[in-house]
Amino acid sequence: MPSEFLDHGGTRYAVQFTYAVPDDAWYVELSEAVPAPASRADIPDVLTHLPGPALLLAVVPDEDPTREPTICVSTVGHRDIPFEVMRWYMEKVAEEVDRCRTALVENRRSDT
């Protein structure tokens, strides 16, 4: 599960990419990063932060070109997301949509 991090306004945010087999789609989650457990501190090159509970979830289908990507908003409490963080997240989602669409086109070409 690759993750990317952004520090903004004293808060570290995380974008995490996971594949959901039942949905045939990539999930791109935005969360506030949380500190990694202290028990991991002695591990070389370990991340100091991990993704926390998702604030937003983009579902990017990669098998069916007729399915449109969607964004789900967490319903757990009110949370403001700064514009720059939202823009960064949406750039990551757009990159994933482009990657999946390109792969679909390439797969179709190789099937013919």
Side-chain angles (χ1 to χ4, degrees), residues 19-26 59-70 96-97 99-105 107-108 111:
Y19 192 76
V21 174
D23 290 337
D24 289 328
W26 282 95
V59 178
V60 182
D62 73 338
E63 297 287 330
D64 182 355
T66 63
R67 286 181 54 207
E68 187 174 345
T70 59
E96 191 63 20
V97 170
R99 187 188 70 74
C100 289
R101 299 295 174 178
T102 300
L104 278 170
V105 169
N107 287 342
R108 286 198 171 153
D111 289 345

